[in-house]
Amino acid sequence: SGTLLDFGKLPNKGKVYGTIEITNTGKSPLMVYSATCDDERITVSGGKKEIKPGVTTTIKVTVRPKEVKTKLEALVNIVCNDPNGPVRLVKVTAEK
């Protein structure tokens, strides 16, 4: 679904959710081995899965606004068996 997930201006409390869509445009199953983020203010779920050809799946990204003081910029790392790009990076941004 692209290389940027922008949450824009964050609320002061609660959690904010976004999704990264992955579509298998190939002819064989796409294996997503992991989807992780080193920033502890971000939680990534739904990472490990097999995607059949022509199918789209989503990875859920959660940001905790209370822990973001000014601006958030982080990378979600998606590791898969795509021969054209086994590691994909999605930049996550937000601001207070």
Side-chain angles (χ1 to χ4, degrees), residues 1-5 20-22 34-38 44 59 61 74-80 82 84-93:
S1 62
T3 57
L4 176 65
L5 179 58
I20 299 169
E21 289 188 348
I22 300 173
S34 66
T36 58
C37 184
D38 291 340
V44 181
I59 293 175
V61 179
L75 290 173
V76 173
N77 301 297
I78 301 169
V79 180
C80 62
D82 182 349
N84 298 322
V87 178
R88 300 293 175 115
L89 300 175
V90 177
K91 185 175 183 179
V92 177
T93 59

Side-chain angles (χ1 to χ4, degrees), residues 6-16 39-43 62-74 92-96:
D6 183 11
F7 283 95
K9 191 161 175 55
L10 295 172
N12 291 324
K13 55 186 175 181
K15 292 181 181 177
V16 181
D39 193 312
E40 56 195 32
R41 299 170 292 180
I42 297 174
T43 305
T62 307
V63 175
R64 293 182 292 285
K66 279 191 299 194
E67 298 172 31
V68 178
K69 301 302 180 210
T70 55
K71 190 170 184 165
L72 170 70
E73 282 191 5
V92 177
T93 59
E95 58 189 64
K96 271 298 206 194

